[in-house]
Amino acid sequence: MEDPSAAQEHNRRAWNDRVRKRGRFARPAADEDFIDPLKKLDALGWLGGDIRGSRTLCLAAGGGRQGPIYASCGAIVTVVDISGEMLELDRQVAAQRKLHLTTVETSMDDLSMFADGSFDLVIHPVSTCYTPVVAPVFQEVARVTRVGGLYISQHKQPTSLQADIRPSPHGYELLEPYYREGPLPPVQGSRHREEGTLEYLHRWDQIIGGICRAGFFIEDLTEPFHADTSAKEGAFAHRSRYVAPYVRIKAQRRAPPDTELIKKILWTP
Ligand SMILES: C[S@@+](CC[C@H](N)C(=O)[O-])C[C@H]1O[C@@H](n2cnc3c(N)ncnc32)[C@H](O)[C@@H]1O
């Protein structure tokens, strides 16, 4: 089994580098993002229309987007990221817009600086692909989310990570096995992958099963729509007609089982 900390250190440097190069996902929120921010963040209404005062963890969400936008909706925001440079963008945007947020530099599988049940809401943009082992991430998220709190996460779909980025006469062929170890081979010029980072395929069992096993109920699941029938062959929107790139999951922290009650029921003749 691969040492997760080596991959995380590689990705920390890669994301710091993306900030210096102003790469995709390292560009802060723009004025229009703050016009009707809750609608922009939550078109599906998963957040219930009002998150003022909600203790919100934006996990692996540096880059000056999610953190400041949630803070502008009145949430009490903590942004966690492994990249200090990505977090610096959050601090800059917060200062420019006179918003309050806290930043913490750590890996998503180590939230030991937060007490159990510290957050009402955890927002987790696409990032589980950057860690070789995902179960400890979900266990940490479950620990820091209060019972009844929400965990909203987005992930790269495994099929998208298996499929070629170039079209063939047969569509987009599966090049990578589903059951595999180690980082995916590097690619260039793909909007589905981030060059310079190490990315890992996590299977459905590890994503959906992992969230459930960590202590959540799944309430809803969507596949953000990126397909376009007029897109040119090989374009992101063309490939998205064949393979959905992402999945978005709404989960609620469930109460731990009442072991005393279970024992009583089992032992009552
Ligand atoms: C695609 S970006 C997501 C946030 C971005 N603001 C967006 O708009 O989607 C992925 C983020 O995950 C962070 N990351 C990668 N590995 C991480 C880890 N092990 N722990 C915490 N953050 C990590 C990266 O530094 C990067 O900021």
Side-chain angles (χ1 to χ4, degrees), residues 51-81:
I51 55 167
R52 280 173 300 176
S54 166
R55 298 167 302 162
T56 300
L57 172 62
C58 294
L59 182 60
R65 283 193 64 75
Q66 287 88 358
I69 301 177
Y70 276 91
S72 77
C73 297
I76 303 163
V77 170
T78 303
V79 187
V80 155
D81 204 282

Side-chain angles (χ1 to χ4, degrees), residues 156-191:
K156 293 190 180 181
Q157 292 207 11
T159 316
S160 180
L161 294 174
Q162 286 178 272
D164 199 349
I165 60 163
R166 289 166 298 266
S168 83
H170 313 291
Y172 292 83
E173 293 178 9
L174 290 187
L175 299 184
E176 286 299 316
Y178 189 56
Y179 296 94
R180 64 184 313 290
E181 293 289 328
L184 291 154
V187 288
Q188 282 193 331
S190 167
R191 258 192 69 190

